[in-house]
Amino acid sequence: MTPQELRNSILQLAIQGQLVEQRPEEGTAEELYQQIQAEKQALIKAGKIKKEKPLPEIGEDEIPFDVPKSWKWVRISNIWNIINGDRGKNYPAKSTLSHIGIPFISALNLHNNTIIDDDKLLCLTESQYEKLGNGKLIKGDIIVCIRGSLGKHGRFPFKKGAIASSLVIIRSSIDMALLDDFLMLYLETPLFYSEIRRYDNGTAQPNLAAKSLEQFLFPLPPLAEQKRIAAKLEELLPLVDRYEKAYSRLQELNRRFPSDLQKSLLQQAIQGKLVEQRPEEGTAEELYQQIQAEKQALIETGKIKKEKPLPEIGEDEIPFDIPKSWKWVRLYSICESIADGDHQPPPQVHHGVPFIVISNISKGYLDFSNTRFVPVEYYEALSNDRIPRKGDILFTVTGSYGIPVKVDCDALFCFQRHMTLLKLLTNRSYIYNILQSTLIKTQCDAAATGTAQKTVGLTSLRSIIIPLPPLAEQKRIVAKLEELLPLGEKLNSSSAQV
């Protein structure tokens, strides 16, 4: 049960007479009702309030639920007066209002059952206020929105003020503060909002006539029982508030859990804690030397260029311990090449070779559904290290840097300079998972430069350090991740549906 559902349930019990017991010695709502009618009649005779047309009797088919025998179903205007705002020629234009003077309340100012005094609260001059023929507020009035945000309400806390045309005032004609307190409770309940739905006559904008609000059904308890209901709610609702905070924390944990699980699994993987080490699988040093020999052969045959040696990895660079059979290496040392896209904007044509930009890989895979195109001649003139082939990895380095994407197709395409192409000399799936880890994100964050759009430079990317396991262990790590990571994705999908 959500906090709001729990709150609604408690409020519903309150207005159904099921939150506290009934006590015969407290009298009946009928007696209270007759007392109110007598006081209203006296005020009418004294000319203090106007006599209004009788409201229709409440039919059995209207009553939404049973209430205790000591209670009574009434209409709101049987108890309170509904007062409209002034909608005549003296209604103030917004341009004439300021932040100093007499509060002029709109729906924007209603929040948490009161009036918020902030920069949204506009004010009338004394002259504007005096000209108003209706809608003047006194302290303690209850304000309800009847256009737009139907049902939004609050209690007026200032000495005097006025309402905008989208609001009405509900004012007690007798001095019974408990009645107003119980009305404020009613305005929070599902019953009130079901009455709004019953009388809402709006189309493009929700709209409620003041005359309709007068007819809203209201379950009236004896006055002493109202007091006990209020006391019980003061006891229970703070507990609901505490439950809401705990519920929100749990929701946040549920939302973060799949992502945190993925990060945790990747961290376990790159620390050598996801699968056991097996001596018979050799060492990363042996694999590393094999890769260096392969790179040297590529250099000697002219397939790749010889580049400056990478700096040695210092002790201060190593973020955590890894198994003895592993080795810290720089990313470029295990790649055939790492190259970014052409820095010169390529010519564009209507048909040709697809030109991939970051938006085409932002979903984590290559999306050719809406690409630009470059001439075939431009593509054919690119160097080998800039031509993507199946088995390579694209890695974004500008703006949304740090997104790795596998090249899993044989399609011809080229890419913009805001990403790099990694041609690997070890297990691609292992490196792909490494590139999604916080280890790589942390290093990219530290290396990124720029203001409007941060970029991870090619030199910095090539120098990123990664933990290298023996090749057979890499494969076992990938297999374990392929088994476990989908569980996190299922959890993520489930939490999104909740």
Side-chain angles (χ1 to χ4, degrees), residues 287 291 334 424-431 468-469 471 474:
L287 173 61
I291 291 171
I334 59 168
L424 297 157
L425 295 172
T426 190
N427 187 288
R428 180 187 70 156
S429 294
Y430 173 75
I431 300 301
L468 183 70
L471 187 59
Q474 290 181 36

Side-chain angles (χ1 to χ4, degrees), residues 21-271:
E21 78 282 2
Q22 283 69 55
R23 297 175 181 175
E25 68 272 17
E26 292 177 348
T28 66
E30 180 63 38
E31 294 167 347
L32 172 61
Y33 178 76
Q34 293 302 330
Q35 178 188 344
I36 293 168
Q37 300 315 303
E39 292 192 34
K40 285 186 75 172
Q41 194 61 38
L43 291 170
I44 291 168
K45 286 183 179 179
K48 293 183 179 180
I49 62 173
K50 293 180 180 180
K51 184 177 182 179
E52 297 186 352
K53 292 180 180 179
L55 293 167
E57 291 291 325
I58 298 172
E60 287 293 329
D61 59 331
E62 286 186 87
I63 295 174
F65 49 79
D66 293 333
V67 292
K69 290 182 179 179
S70 58
W71 288 36
K72 180 181 178 67
W73 281 106
V74 300
R75 298 195 189 275
I76 282 184
S77 63
N78 290 143
I79 311 295
W80 294 273
N81 295 323
I82 310 296
I83 304 168
N84 262 313
D86 191 324
R87 296 183 174 89
K89 63 180 182 179
N90 293 321
Y91 188 83
K94 187 176 180 180
S95 59
T96 66
L97 303 175
S98 69
H99 293 289
I100 299 172
I102 298 168
F104 184 66
I105 308 304
S106 73
L108 292 174
N109 310 125
L110 302 176
H111 185 68
N112 283 348
N113 303 336
T114 189
I115 309 301
I116 300 299
D117 186 0
D118 59 10
D119 58 358
K120 293 178 183 176
L121 180 59
L122 298 175
C123 297
L124 301 161
T125 63
E126 188 70 39
S127 173
Q128 287 173 312
Y129 175 78
E130 291 299 330
K131 289 179 182 177
L132 292 176
N134 211 4
K136 293 181 178 180
L137 288 156
I138 59 176
K139 188 172 183 178
D141 278 346
I142 294 170
I143 304 168
V144 176
C145 181
I146 59 170
R147 263 188 297 284
S149 302
L150 295 185
K152 199 175 181 184
H153 58 275
R155 192 173 244 163
F156 187 65
F158 308 121
K159 186 176 180 180
K160 66 179 182 179
I163 56 169
S165 60
S166 61
L167 310 176
V168 293
I169 300 167
I170 303 181
R171 181 179 295 163
S172 180
S173 55
I174 60 175
D175 187 19
M176 286 187 183
L178 272 175
L179 276 172
D180 286 351
D181 290 342
F182 199 74
L183 175 63
M184 286 294 289
L185 157 66
Y186 165 83
L187 295 176
E188 294 288 322
T189 65
L191 170 61
F192 173 60
Y193 286 95
S194 70
E195 289 290 276
I196 287 176
R197 289 190 294 273
R198 182 156 76 114
Y199 286 99
D200 177 12
N201 60 18
T203 51
Q205 184 184 43
N207 186 70
L208 190 68
K211 290 293 182 185
S212 297
L213 181 59
E214 292 176 357
Q215 298 188 53
F216 276 27
L217 296 177
F218 182 84
L220 181 69
L223 203 58
E225 189 171 339
Q226 291 181 36
K227 186 174 182 179
R228 289 189 293 110
I229 289 170
K232 178 59 72 172
L233 288 172
E234 285 180 4
E235 175 189 336
L236 295 177
L237 292 182
L239 299 178
V240 177
D241 292 337
R242 284 167 56 186
Y243 170 65
E244 184 172 17
K245 290 178 182 177
Y247 184 88
S248 296
R249 287 196 298 269
L250 181 60
Q251 290 290 92
E252 176 62 15
L253 286 172
N254 286 339
R255 185 186 67 79
R256 288 172 43 192
F257 179 70
S259 176
D260 289 348
L261 176 61
Q262 181 186 39
K263 290 176 183 177
S264 178
L265 287 171
L266 291 174
Q267 189 64 24
Q268 293 287 306
I270 64 176
Q271 288 187 245

Side-chain angles (χ1 to χ4, degrees), residues 267-277 321 323 326 473:
Q267 189 64 24
Q268 293 287 306
I270 64 176
Q271 288 187 245
K273 297 177 180 179
L274 196 62
V275 300
E276 78 283 1
Q277 284 70 54
D321 293 333
W326 289 34
E473 189 172 341

Side-chain angles (χ1 to χ4, degrees), residues 385-404:
D385 58 356
R386 284 178 168 166
I387 296 179
R389 290 188 172 85
K390 191 173 183 179
D392 294 340
I393 292 177
L394 287 169
F395 187 78
T396 60
V397 290
T398 300
S400 301
Y401 60 79
I403 302 173

